[in-house]
Amino acid sequence: MIIASRVLVNGKLYGNTEYVATLISQKTGGDLFQIKTEQTYPGTHKELIDAAKKEADGKVRPKLATHIRNLKDYDVIFVGFPNWWYDMPMPLYLFFDEYDFTGKTLIPFCTHGGSRFSQTEKTIASLEKGAKMRKGLAISRNNVGASETSVQNWLQKMGFGQ
Ligand SMILES: Cc1cc2nc3c(=O)[nH]c(=O)nc-3n(C[C@H](O)[C@H](O)[C@H](O)COP(=O)(O)O)c2cc1C
């Protein structure tokens, strides 16, 4: 997925959600998997906003380019996304259609510009009824660069990370 916003940490450039995912992976020792689409999204903010709105309004399901081949090896899955138009980006719907997380623990996280999760935690729970959902973490895009402590505290509360 194209990176719509960026955060610079220790000289490295990340997308907001990508950075939080990296922190989670570092602190839990978990593998990183990037949900990518076949199509590319516009690189400028305004164009991306419009493209995402069109997709959401049309309930478009953009095809995914990456697939998890060994889901059975994982019991706990953190799923992160940016809040787009008070919802998950449409590719996330396809992601939840593609996999059955029954019996697994799903932990959502998002980055946002003020809307936090909107209704997305409920949406995920309804799409993955057999999964055990944990309370997610929503991080404002203004705090992403300084979010390491809150990510760590959240993980520790759930019993993950050092
Ligand atoms: C297409 C689009 C729609 C967005 N819609 C919302 C929104 O409805 N509510 C909100 O709080 N932030 C919204 N944002 C802001 C993003 O959630 C925020 O910038 C996020 O941190 C981007 O993460 P990323 O760098 O991983 O793409 C939107 C951003 C984009 C590009």
Side-chain angles (χ1 to χ4, degrees), residues 58-152:
K59 297 204 178 340
V60 174
R61 297 278 201 273
K63 275 201 177 148
L64 300 184
T66 52
H67 306 276
I68 305 174
R69 301 287 176 210
N70 55 340
L71 186 63
K72 62 173 177 24
D73 297 344
Y74 298 93
D75 297 323
V76 179
I77 297 115
F78 291 82
V79 183
F81 49 90
N83 186 322
W84 275 11
W85 290 105
Y86 315 104
D87 202 343
M88 302 187 286
M90 294 311 279
L92 270 291
Y93 282 87
L94 206 63
F95 176 82
F96 286 113
D97 279 354
E98 181 167 335
Y99 305 104
D100 178 3
F101 293 105
T102 297
K104 300 189 186 290
T105 299
L106 271 185
I107 312 177
F109 62 97
C110 80
T111 66
H112 63 92
S115 313
R116 304 186 65 86
F117 273 107
S118 298
Q119 297 298 307
T120 57
E121 284 180 295
K122 276 188 196 145
T123 304
I124 296 169
S126 74
L127 294 172
E128 298 296 337
K129 292 202 173 67
K132 182 180 178 214
M133 291 272 298
R134 303 289 298 264
K135 176 127 190 56
L137 181 70
I139 299 183
S140 161
R141 63 181 164 202
N142 301 327
N143 302 332
V144 167
S147 62
E148 185 165 355
T149 306
S150 37
V151 170
Q152 183 145 344

Side-chain angles (χ1 to χ4, degrees), residues 17-37:
T17 313
E18 180 190 29
Y19 178 61
V20 178
T22 305
L23 287 176
I24 294 170
S25 154
Q26 283 168 357
K27 290 178 188 305
T28 59
D31 296 329
L32 271 178
F33 172 80
Q34 198 170 10
I35 302 171
K36 286 191 183 169
T37 51

